[in-house]
PDB file of all heavy atoms in Angstrom:
ATOM      1  N   PRO Y 274     107.544 102.472  57.918  1.00 96.00           N
ATOM      2  CA  PRO Y 274     108.481 102.367  56.787  1.00 96.00           C
ATOM      3  C   PRO Y 274     109.137 103.716  56.441  1.00 96.00           C
ATOM      4  O   PRO Y 274     108.636 104.777  56.822  1.00 96.00           O
ATOM      5  CB  PRO Y 274     107.597 101.874  55.638  1.00 96.00           C
ATOM      6  CG  PRO Y 274     106.370 101.340  56.280  1.00 96.00           C
ATOM      7  CD  PRO Y 274     106.183 102.081  57.564  1.00 96.00           C
ATOM      8  N   ALA Y 275     110.253 103.626  55.686  1.00 94.00           N
ATOM      9  CA  ALA Y 275     111.087 104.814  55.435  1.00 94.00           C
ATOM     10  C   ALA Y 275     110.308 105.970  54.802  1.00 94.00           C
ATOM     11  O   ALA Y 275     110.466 107.122  55.208  1.00 94.00           O
ATOM     12  CB  ALA Y 275     112.269 104.425  54.553  1.00 94.00           C
ATOM     13  N   GLU Y 276     109.443 105.672  53.825  1.00 95.00           N
ATOM     14  CA  GLU Y 276     108.809 106.779  53.088  1.00 95.00           C
ATOM     15  C   GLU Y 276     107.851 107.602  53.967  1.00 95.00           C
ATOM     16  O   GLU Y 276     108.009 108.822  54.083  1.00 95.00           O
ATOM     17  CB  GLU Y 276     108.094 106.217  51.851  1.00 95.00           C
ATOM     18  CG  GLU Y 276     107.922 107.250  50.776  1.00 95.00           C
ATOM     19  CD  GLU Y 276     107.207 106.662  49.571  1.00 95.00           C
ATOM     20  OE1 GLU Y 276     107.664 105.619  49.048  1.00 95.00           O
ATOM     21  OE2 GLU Y 276     106.178 107.231  49.198  1.00 95.00           O
ATOM     22  N   PRO Y 277     106.862 106.959  54.637  1.00 96.00           N
ATOM     23  CA  PRO Y 277     106.012 107.758  55.522  1.00 96.00           C
ATOM     24  C   PRO Y 277     106.780 108.347  56.713  1.00 96.00           C
ATOM     25  O   PRO Y 277     106.424 109.410  57.232  1.00 96.00           O
ATOM     26  CB  PRO Y 277     104.940 106.774  55.992  1.00 96.00           C
ATOM     27  CG  PRO Y 277     105.428 105.415  55.652  1.00 96.00           C
ATOM     28  CD  PRO Y 277     106.393 105.573  54.522  1.00 96.00           C
ATOM     29  N   ARG Y 278     107.862 107.662  57.124  1.00 97.00           N
ATOM     30  CA  ARG Y 278     108.707 108.176  58.218  1.00 97.00           C
ATOM     31  C   ARG Y 278     109.303 109.533  57.816  1.00 97.00           C
ATOM     32  O   ARG Y 278     109.230 110.517  58.545  1.00 97.00           O
ATOM     33  CB  ARG Y 278     109.815 107.145  58.484  1.00 97.00           C
ATOM     34  CG  ARG Y 278     110.690 107.409  59.658  1.00 97.00           C
ATOM     35  CD  ARG Y 278     111.676 106.254  59.821  1.00 97.00           C
ATOM     36  NE  ARG Y 278     111.098 105.075  60.427  1.00 97.00           N
ATOM     37  CZ  ARG Y 278     111.088 104.805  61.737  1.00 97.00           C
ATOM     38  NH1 ARG Y 278     111.649 105.650  62.584  1.00 97.00           N
ATOM     39  NH2 ARG Y 278     110.535 103.717  62.196  1.00 97.00           N
ATOM     40  N   ARG Y 279     109.884 109.584  56.626  1.00 96.00           N
ATOM     41  CA  ARG Y 279     110.486 110.846  56.169  1.00 96.00           C
ATOM     42  C   ARG Y 279     109.411 111.909  55.952  1.00 96.00           C
ATOM     43  O   ARG Y 279     109.623 113.087  56.240  1.00 96.00           O
ATOM     44  CB  ARG Y 279     111.272 110.623  54.880  1.00 96.00           C
ATOM     45  CG  ARG Y 279     112.568 109.909  55.178  1.00 96.00           C
ATOM     46  CD  ARG Y 279     113.323 109.535  53.920  1.00 96.00           C
ATOM     47  NE  ARG Y 279     114.461 108.733  54.307  1.00 96.00           N
ATOM     48  CZ  ARG Y 279     115.681 108.871  53.829  1.00 96.00           C
ATOM     49  NH1 ARG Y 279     115.924 109.779  52.915  1.00 96.00           N
ATOM     50  NH2 ARG Y 279     116.659 108.109  54.245  1.00 96.00           N
ATOM     51  N   ALA Y 280     108.260 111.463  55.440  1.00 96.00           N
ATOM     52  CA  ALA Y 280     107.168 112.429  55.212  1.00 96.00           C
ATOM     53  C   ALA Y 280     106.738 113.046  56.544  1.00 96.00           C
ATOM     54  O   ALA Y 280     106.471 114.247  56.628  1.00 96.00           O
ATOM     55  CB  ALA Y 280     105.989 111.726  54.531  1.00 96.00           C
ATOM     56  N   ALA Y 281     106.696 112.232  57.600  1.00 98.00           N
ATOM     57  CA  ALA Y 281     106.275 112.753  58.909  1.00 98.00           C
ATOM     58  C   ALA Y 281     107.298 113.763  59.440  1.00 98.00           C
ATOM     59  O   ALA Y 281     106.925 114.806  59.981  1.00 98.00           O
ATOM     60  CB  ALA Y 281     106.093 111.603  59.898  1.00 98.00           C
ATOM     61  N   TRP Y 282     108.607 113.470  59.254  1.00 98.00           N
ATOM     62  CA  TRP Y 282     109.617 114.435  59.729  1.00 98.00           C
ATOM     63  C   TRP Y 282     109.552 115.723  58.912  1.00 98.00           C
ATOM     64  O   TRP Y 282     109.751 116.819  59.442  1.00 98.00           O
ATOM     65  CB  TRP Y 282     111.029 113.818  59.697  1.00 98.00           C
ATOM     66  CG  TRP Y 282     111.250 112.932  60.896  1.00 98.00           C
ATOM     67  CD1 TRP Y 282     111.135 111.573  60.936  1.00 98.00           C
ATOM     68  CD2 TRP Y 282     111.567 113.346  62.239  1.00 98.00           C
ATOM     69  NE1 TRP Y 282     111.362 111.112  62.215  1.00 98.00           N
ATOM     70  CE2 TRP Y 282     111.635 112.180  63.038  1.00 98.00           C
ATOM     71  CE3 TRP Y 282     111.794 114.574  62.837  1.00 98.00           C
ATOM     72  CZ2 TRP Y 282     111.928 112.214  64.401  1.00 98.00           C
ATOM     73  CZ3 TRP Y 282     112.090 114.619  64.196  1.00 98.00           C
ATOM     74  CH2 TRP Y 282     112.157 113.451  64.963  1.00 98.00           C
ATOM     75  N   GLN Y 283     109.233 115.598  57.603  1.00 96.00           N
ATOM     76  CA  GLN Y 283     109.080 116.823  56.796  1.00 96.00           C
ATOM     77  C   GLN Y 283     107.890 117.644  57.276  1.00 96.00           C
ATOM     78  O   GLN Y 283     107.939 118.865  57.337  1.00 96.00           O
ATOM     79  CB  GLN Y 283     108.926 116.468  55.312  1.00 96.00           C
ATOM     80  CG  GLN Y 283     110.285 116.232  54.665  1.00 96.00           C
ATOM     81  CD  GLN Y 283     110.194 115.448  53.361  1.00 96.00           C
ATOM     82  OE1 GLN Y 283     109.103 115.286  52.792  1.00 96.00           O
ATOM     83  NE2 GLN Y 283     111.313 114.944  52.904  1.00 96.00           N
ATOM     84  N   ARG Y 284     106.808 116.940  57.623  1.00 97.00           N
ATOM     85  CA  ARG Y 284     105.636 117.657  58.167  1.00 97.00           C
ATOM     86  C   ARG Y 284     105.987 118.321  59.499  1.00 97.00           C
ATOM     87  O   ARG Y 284     105.558 119.446  59.771  1.00 97.00           O
ATOM     88  CB  ARG Y 284     104.468 116.677  58.383  1.00 97.00           C
ATOM     89  CG  ARG Y 284     103.693 116.294  57.138  1.00 97.00           C
ATOM     90  CD  ARG Y 284     102.810 117.420  56.606  1.00 97.00           C
ATOM     91  NE  ARG Y 284     101.923 118.017  57.585  1.00 97.00           N
ATOM     92  CZ  ARG Y 284     100.675 117.609  57.850  1.00 97.00           C
ATOM     93  NH1 ARG Y 284     100.163 116.592  57.186  1.00 97.00           N
ATOM     94  NH2 ARG Y 284      99.939 118.231  58.743  1.00 97.00           N
ATOM     95  N   LEU Y 285     106.763 117.623  60.338  1.00 98.00           N
ATOM     96  CA  LEU Y 285     107.162 118.230  61.623  1.00 98.00           C
ATOM     97  C   LEU Y 285     107.951 119.520  61.371  1.00 98.00           C
ATOM     98  O   LEU Y 285     107.741 120.533  62.036  1.00 98.00           O
ATOM     99  CB  LEU Y 285     108.003 117.244  62.438  1.00 98.00           C
ATOM    100  CG  LEU Y 285     107.197 116.157  63.154  1.00 98.00           C
ATOM    101  CD1 LEU Y 285     108.068 114.950  63.477  1.00 98.00           C
ATOM    102  CD2 LEU Y 285     106.559 116.696  64.441  1.00 98.00           C
ATOM    103  N   ALA Y 286     108.873 119.456  60.380  1.00 96.00           N
ATOM    104  CA  ALA Y 286     109.686 120.636  60.071  1.00 96.00           C
ATOM    105  C   ALA Y 286     108.793 121.788  59.613  1.00 96.00           C
ATOM    106  O   ALA Y 286     109.075 122.953  59.885  1.00 96.00           O
ATOM    107  CB  ALA Y 286     110.708 120.289  58.996  1.00 96.00           C
ATOM    108  N   ARG Y 287     107.693 121.463  58.940  1.00 96.00           N
ATOM    109  CA  ARG Y 287     106.808 122.510  58.422  1.00 96.00           C
ATOM    110  C   ARG Y 287     105.800 122.997  59.460  1.00 96.00           C
ATOM    111  O   ARG Y 287     105.536 124.183  59.582  1.00 96.00           O
ATOM    112  CB  ARG Y 287     106.047 121.934  57.213  1.00 96.00           C
ATOM    113  CG  ARG Y 287     105.350 122.969  56.376  1.00 96.00           C
ATOM    114  CD  ARG Y 287     104.494 122.338  55.298  1.00 96.00           C
ATOM    115  NE  ARG Y 287     103.197 121.922  55.831  1.00 96.00           N
ATOM    116  CZ  ARG Y 287     102.320 121.176  55.174  1.00 96.00           C
ATOM    117  NH1 ARG Y 287     102.606 120.742  53.964  1.00 96.00           N
ATOM    118  NH2 ARG Y 287     101.166 120.858  55.711  1.00 96.00           N
ATOM    119  N   ASP Y 288     105.262 122.049  60.246  1.00 96.00           N
ATOM    120  CA  ASP Y 288     104.068 122.354  61.039  1.00 96.00           C
ATOM    121  C   ASP Y 288     104.307 122.533  62.531  1.00 96.00           C
ATOM    122  O   ASP Y 288     103.361 122.833  63.258  1.00 96.00           O
ATOM    123  CB  ASP Y 288     103.020 121.248  60.855  1.00 96.00           C
ATOM    124  CG  ASP Y 288     102.490 121.209  59.435  1.00 96.00           C
ATOM    125  OD1 ASP Y 288     102.536 122.260  58.776  1.00 96.00           O
ATOM    126  OD2 ASP Y 288     102.052 120.137  58.995  1.00 96.00           O
ATOM    127  N   LEU Y 289     105.535 122.312  62.996  1.00 95.00           N
ATOM    128  CA  LEU Y 289     105.765 122.457  64.435  1.00 95.00           C
ATOM    129  C   LEU Y 289     106.408 123.815  64.692  1.00 95.00           C
ATOM    130  O   LEU Y 289     107.406 124.157  64.057  1.00 95.00           O
ATOM    131  CB  LEU Y 289     106.672 121.322  64.924  1.00 95.00           C
ATOM    132  CG  LEU Y 289     106.812 121.181  66.425  1.00 95.00           C
ATOM    133  CD1 LEU Y 289     105.455 120.976  67.106  1.00 95.00           C
ATOM    134  CD2 LEU Y 289     107.705 119.985  66.756  1.00 95.00           C
ATOM    135  N   ASP Y 290     105.822 124.558  65.605  1.00 92.00           N
ATOM    136  CA  ASP Y 290     106.334 125.872  65.972  1.00 92.00           C
ATOM    137  C   ASP Y 290     107.552 125.660  66.880  1.00 92.00           C
ATOM    138  O   ASP Y 290     107.407 125.175  68.000  1.00 92.00           O
ATOM    139  CB  ASP Y 290     105.196 126.605  66.685  1.00 92.00           C
ATOM    140  CG  ASP Y 290     105.568 128.001  67.103  1.00 92.00           C
ATOM    141  OD1 ASP Y 290     106.781 128.264  67.233  1.00 92.00           O
ATOM    142  OD2 ASP Y 290     104.654 128.806  67.310  1.00 92.00           O
ATOM    143  N   LEU Y 291     108.757 125.999  66.374  1.00 90.00           N
ATOM    144  CA  LEU Y 291     109.979 125.704  67.140  1.00 90.00           C
ATOM    145  C   LEU Y 291     110.034 126.478  68.454  1.00 90.00           C
ATOM    146  O   LEU Y 291     110.619 126.003  69.431  1.00 90.00           O
ATOM    147  CB  LEU Y 291     111.221 125.971  66.296  1.00 90.00           C
ATOM    148  CG  LEU Y 291     111.502 124.953  65.175  1.00 90.00           C
ATOM    149  CD1 LEU Y 291     112.806 125.282  64.455  1.00 90.00           C
ATOM    150  CD2 LEU Y 291     111.541 123.513  65.677  1.00 90.00           C
ATOM    151  N   ALA Y 292     109.407 127.644  68.516  1.00 89.00           N
ATOM    152  CA  ALA Y 292     109.395 128.400  69.785  1.00 89.00           C
ATOM    153  C   ALA Y 292     108.575 127.632  70.828  1.00 89.00           C
ATOM    154  O   ALA Y 292     108.966 127.545  71.996  1.00 89.00           O
ATOM    155  CB  ALA Y 292     108.807 129.781  69.559  1.00 89.00           C
ATOM    156  N   ARG Y 293     107.453 127.032  70.378  1.00 89.00           N
ATOM    157  CA  ARG Y 293     106.652 126.229  71.308  1.00 89.00           C
ATOM    158  C   ARG Y 293     107.408 124.978  71.721  1.00 89.00           C
ATOM    159  O   ARG Y 293     107.321 124.520  72.847  1.00 89.00           O
ATOM    160  CB  ARG Y 293     105.314 125.837  70.683  1.00 89.00           C
ATOM    161  CG  ARG Y 293     104.286 126.933  70.852  1.00 89.00           C
ATOM    162  CD  ARG Y 293     102.903 126.466  70.453  1.00 89.00           C
ATOM    163  NE  ARG Y 293     101.959 127.564  70.668  1.00 89.00           N
ATOM    164  CZ  ARG Y 293     100.814 127.696  70.053  1.00 89.00           C
ATOM    165  NH1 ARG Y 293     100.433 126.798  69.182  1.00 89.00           N
ATOM    166  NH2 ARG Y 293     100.022 128.700  70.315  1.00 89.00           N
ATOM    167  N   LEU Y 294     108.171 124.414  70.771  1.00 91.00           N
ATOM    168  CA  LEU Y 294     108.961 123.219  71.066  1.00 91.00           C
ATOM    169  C   LEU Y 294     110.003 123.535  72.142  1.00 91.00           C
ATOM    170  O   LEU Y 294     110.179 122.774  73.098  1.00 91.00           O
ATOM    171  CB  LEU Y 294     109.642 122.736  69.788  1.00 91.00           C
ATOM    172  CG  LEU Y 294     110.411 121.429  69.877  1.00 91.00           C
ATOM    173  CD1 LEU Y 294     109.466 120.258  70.094  1.00 91.00           C
ATOM    174  CD2 LEU Y 294     111.230 121.191  68.613  1.00 91.00           C
ATOM    175  N   GLU Y 295     110.699 124.680  71.992  1.00 89.00           N
ATOM    176  CA  GLU Y 295     111.720 125.071  72.982  1.00 89.00           C
ATOM    177  C   GLU Y 295     111.105 125.149  74.376  1.00 89.00           C
ATOM    178  O   GLU Y 295     111.726 124.774  75.359  1.00 89.00           O
ATOM    179  CB  GLU Y 295     112.329 126.441  72.610  1.00 89.00           C
ATOM    180  CG  GLU Y 295     113.216 126.416  71.379  1.00 89.00           C
ATOM    181  CD  GLU Y 295     114.543 125.686  71.580  1.00 89.00           C
ATOM    182  OE1 GLU Y 295     114.986 125.551  72.733  1.00 89.00           O
ATOM    183  OE2 GLU Y 295     115.115 125.234  70.568  1.00 89.00           O
ATOM    184  N   ALA Y 296     109.861 125.618  74.436  1.00 88.00           N
ATOM    185  CA  ALA Y 296     109.219 125.839  75.736  1.00 88.00           C
ATOM    186  C   ALA Y 296     108.886 124.538  76.461  1.00 88.00           C
ATOM    187  O   ALA Y 296     108.624 124.552  77.663  1.00 88.00           O
ATOM    188  CB  ALA Y 296     107.960 126.678  75.543  1.00 88.00           C
ATOM    189  N   ILE Y 297     108.883 123.401  75.750  1.00 90.00           N
ATOM    190  CA  ILE Y 297     108.519 122.134  76.423  1.00 90.00           C
ATOM    191  C   ILE Y 297     109.755 121.312  76.787  1.00 90.00           C
ATOM    192  O   ILE Y 297     109.635 120.211  77.305  1.00 90.00           O
ATOM    193  CB  ILE Y 297     107.527 121.293  75.583  1.00 90.00           C
ATOM    194  CG1 ILE Y 297     108.203 120.690  74.342  1.00 90.00           C
ATOM    195  CG2 ILE Y 297     106.304 122.087  75.213  1.00 90.00           C
ATOM    196  CD1 ILE Y 297     107.308 119.670  73.615  1.00 90.00           C
ATOM    197  N   ILE Y 298     110.958 121.861  76.513  1.00 95.00           N
ATOM    198  CA  ILE Y 298     112.185 121.086  76.767  1.00 95.00           C
ATOM    199  C   ILE Y 298     112.571 121.116  78.235  1.00 95.00           C
ATOM    200  O   ILE Y 298     112.626 122.170  78.861  1.00 95.00           O
ATOM    201  CB  ILE Y 298     113.357 121.621  75.908  1.00 95.00           C
ATOM    202  CG1 ILE Y 298     113.106 121.345  74.425  1.00 95.00           C
ATOM    203  CG2 ILE Y 298     114.685 120.991  76.350  1.00 95.00           C
ATOM    204  CD1 ILE Y 298     114.175 121.867  73.488  1.00 95.00           C
ATOM    205  N   GLN Y 299     112.844 119.930  78.788  1.00 96.00           N
ATOM    206  CA  GLN Y 299     113.439 119.807  80.119  1.00 96.00           C
ATOM    207  C   GLN Y 299     114.856 119.255  79.899  1.00 96.00           C
ATOM    208  O   GLN Y 299     114.999 118.083  79.531  1.00 96.00           O
ATOM    209  CB  GLN Y 299     112.584 118.825  80.938  1.00 96.00           C
ATOM    210  CG  GLN Y 299     112.978 118.772  82.379  1.00 96.00           C
ATOM    211  CD  GLN Y 299     112.144 117.756  83.179  1.00 96.00           C
ATOM    212  OE1 GLN Y 299     112.686 117.038  83.981  1.00 96.00           O
ATOM    213  NE2 GLN Y 299     110.845 117.689  82.955  1.00 96.00           N
ATOM    214  N   PRO Y 300     115.913 120.078  80.092  1.00 97.00           N
ATOM    215  CA  PRO Y 300     117.264 119.592  79.811  1.00 97.00           C
ATOM    216  C   PRO Y 300     117.727 118.562  80.836  1.00 97.00           C
ATOM    217  O   PRO Y 300     117.342 118.635  82.001  1.00 97.00           O
ATOM    218  CB  PRO Y 300     118.139 120.854  79.884  1.00 97.00           C
ATOM    219  CG  PRO Y 300     117.296 121.946  80.399  1.00 97.00           C
ATOM    220  CD  PRO Y 300     115.898 121.467  80.587  1.00 97.00           C
ATOM    221  N   ALA Y 301     118.555 117.604  80.394  1.00 98.00           N
ATOM    222  CA  ALA Y 301     119.018 116.552  81.307  1.00 98.00           C
ATOM    223  C   ALA Y 301     120.382 116.041  80.861  1.00 98.00           C
ATOM    224  O   ALA Y 301     120.832 116.302  79.738  1.00 98.00           O
ATOM    225  CB  ALA Y 301     118.019 115.402  81.320  1.00 98.00           C
ATOM    226  N   THR Y 302     121.030 115.292  81.752  1.00 97.00           N
ATOM    227  CA  THR Y 302     122.303 114.632  81.442  1.00 97.00           C
ATOM    228  C   THR Y 302     122.093 113.123  81.580  1.00 97.00           C
ATOM    229  O   THR Y 302     121.066 112.680  82.116  1.00 97.00           O
ATOM    230  CB  THR Y 302     123.397 115.063  82.435  1.00 97.00           C
ATOM    231  OG1 THR Y 302     122.978 114.638  83.735  1.00 97.00           O
ATOM    232  CG2 THR Y 302     123.613 116.564  82.422  1.00 97.00           C
ATOM    233  N   LEU Y 303     123.084 112.342  81.143  1.00 97.00           N
ATOM    234  CA  LEU Y 303     123.004 110.879  81.297  1.00 97.00           C
ATOM    235  C   LEU Y 303     122.772 110.499  82.757  1.00 97.00           C
ATOM    236  O   LEU Y 303     122.008 109.580  83.059  1.00 97.00           O
ATOM    237  CB  LEU Y 303     124.318 110.235  80.852  1.00 97.00           C
ATOM    238  CG  LEU Y 303     124.553 109.939  79.374  1.00 97.00           C
ATOM    239  CD1 LEU Y 303     125.861 109.186  79.213  1.00 97.00           C
ATOM    240  CD2 LEU Y 303     123.404 109.160  78.758  1.00 97.00           C
ATOM    241  N   GLU Y 304     123.439 111.243  83.664  1.00 97.00           N
ATOM    242  CA  GLU Y 304     123.350 110.945  85.102  1.00 97.00           C
ATOM    243  C   GLU Y 304     121.928 111.099  85.625  1.00 97.00           C
ATOM    244  O   GLU Y 304     121.538 110.453  86.604  1.00 97.00           O
ATOM    245  CB  GLU Y 304     124.302 111.865  85.892  1.00 97.00           C
ATOM    246  CG  GLU Y 304     125.789 111.560  85.749  1.00 97.00           C
ATOM    247  CD  GLU Y 304     126.431 111.997  84.417  1.00 97.00           C
ATOM    248  OE1 GLU Y 304     125.748 112.652  83.587  1.00 97.00           O
ATOM    249  OE2 GLU Y 304     127.609 111.670  84.204  1.00 97.00           O
ATOM    250  N   ASP Y 305     121.135 111.981  85.005  1.00 98.00           N
ATOM    251  CA  ASP Y 305     119.754 112.234  85.475  1.00 98.00           C
ATOM    252  C   ASP Y 305     118.797 111.111  85.075  1.00 98.00           C
ATOM    253  O   ASP Y 305     117.674 111.026  85.600  1.00 98.00           O
ATOM    254  CB  ASP Y 305     119.195 113.529  84.844  1.00 98.00           C
ATOM    255  CG  ASP Y 305     119.961 114.763  85.275  1.00 98.00           C
ATOM    256  OD1 ASP Y 305     120.420 114.794  86.423  1.00 98.00           O
ATOM    257  OD2 ASP Y 305     120.086 115.683  84.437  1.00 98.00           O
ATOM    258  N   LEU Y 306     119.192 110.271  84.102  1.00 98.00           N
ATOM    259  CA  LEU Y 306     118.207 109.389  83.472  1.00 98.00           C
ATOM    260  C   LEU Y 306     117.568 108.339  84.390  1.00 98.00           C
ATOM    261  O   LEU Y 306     116.352 108.122  84.301  1.00 98.00           O
ATOM    262  CB  LEU Y 306     118.797 108.731  82.224  1.00 98.00           C
ATOM    263  CG  LEU Y 306     118.820 109.685  81.022  1.00 98.00           C
ATOM    264  CD1 LEU Y 306     119.709 109.148  79.918  1.00 98.00           C
ATOM    265  CD2 LEU Y 306     117.403 109.930  80.507  1.00 98.00           C
ATOM    266  N   PRO Y 307     118.338 107.672  85.267  1.00 97.00           N
ATOM    267  CA  PRO Y 307     117.660 106.688  86.120  1.00 97.00           C
ATOM    268  C   PRO Y 307     116.528 107.310  86.951  1.00 97.00           C
ATOM    269  O   PRO Y 307     115.442 106.747  87.061  1.00 97.00           O
ATOM    270  CB  PRO Y 307     118.803 106.165  87.006  1.00 97.00           C
ATOM    271  CG  PRO Y 307     120.026 106.318  86.136  1.00 97.00           C
ATOM    272  CD  PRO Y 307     119.809 107.608  85.401  1.00 97.00           C
ATOM    273  N   ARG Y 308     116.764 108.536  87.478  1.00 97.00           N
ATOM    274  CA  ARG Y 308     115.711 109.212  88.250  1.00 97.00           C
ATOM    275  C   ARG Y 308     114.534 109.601  87.338  1.00 97.00           C
ATOM    276  O   ARG Y 308     113.366 109.329  87.654  1.00 97.00           O
ATOM    277  CB  ARG Y 308     116.290 110.469  88.918  1.00 97.00           C
ATOM    278  CG  ARG Y 308     115.243 111.369  89.557  1.00 97.00           C
ATOM    279  CD  ARG Y 308     115.872 112.602  90.190  1.00 97.00           C
ATOM    280  NE  ARG Y 308     116.672 113.423  89.296  1.00 97.00           N
ATOM    281  CZ  ARG Y 308     116.179 114.305  88.418  1.00 97.00           C
ATOM    282  NH1 ARG Y 308     114.874 114.492  88.335  1.00 97.00           N
ATOM    283  NH2 ARG Y 308     116.977 114.998  87.626  1.00 97.00           N
TER     284      ARG Y 308
END
Side-chain angles (χ1 to χ4, degrees):
E276 204 180 306
R278 186 177 282 269
R279 286 174 186 224
W282 280 98
Q283 277 161 14
R284 282 288 308 270
L285 282 158
R287 194 186 82 190
D288 294 334
L289 190 58
D290 181 338
L291 287 183
R293 276 190 179 156
L294 185 68
E295 290 290 338
I297 71 171
I298 292 178
Q299 188 182 137
T302 62
L303 276 185
E304 288 76 5
D305 296 326
L306 282 166
R308 171 181 57 79

